[in-house]
Amino acid sequence: WVICTPGDLVVEEEQLVQELVFVVTGCLLAQTAHSYEGFVMDRNQGGTKEMSTADPTQVRDKEIASGAWFGESCLVEPDRIYVSSVFALADSELAV
């Protein structure tokens, strides 16, 4: 279990996806400056075909509420990296 306070960095962009994370309580914020079809948090380590660089001033945000999870791609694809940074918006408890 991991306890986070507002502003804590949970996942950093370009970090290898190695854990499945469940948001037990609280709320997180995923931010990315990359453009995808839909909102994507990770990609293949060497691949860029589904990604294009967006205007860095146009950061895309997505809230991750309690009951949600991320990082499941590590269970089937060991070479995934995050394209988003994730921060705690509120006091949060994560099952990692």
Side-chain angles (χ1 to χ4, degrees), residues 13 29-36 39 53-63 83-87:
E13 184 177 1
L29 180 69
Q31 295 183 323
T32 185
H34 299 287
S35 178
Y36 294 90
F39 192 93
T53 303
D55 179 350
T57 62
Q58 298 297 317
V59 175
R60 297 175 63 193
D61 294 346
K62 180 164 182 74
E63 284 193 22
V83 296
S84 300
S85 292
V86 178
F87 301 91

Side-chain angles (χ1 to χ4, degrees), residues 9-77:
L9 178 64
V10 176
V11 168
E12 189 170 13
E13 184 177 1
E14 297 298 320
Q15 176 182 332
L16 189 62
V17 181
Q18 294 181 304
E19 302 165 322
L20 177 56
V21 179
F22 293 93
V23 182
V24 179
T25 62
C27 187
L28 307 177
L29 180 69
Q31 295 183 323
T32 185
H34 299 287
S35 178
Y36 294 90
E37 187 174 320
F39 192 93
V40 177
M41 287 187 56
D42 60 52
R43 66 172 170 84
N44 286 328
Q45 196 165 11
T48 57
K49 66 181 177 185
E50 74 268 11
M51 178 180 73
S52 63
T53 303
D55 179 350
T57 62
Q58 298 297 317
V59 175
R60 297 175 63 193
D61 294 346
K62 180 164 182 74
E63 284 193 22
I64 305 170
S66 61
W69 66 88
F70 60 92
E72 67 274 11
S73 62
C74 74
L75 301 174
V76 293
E77 297 181 63

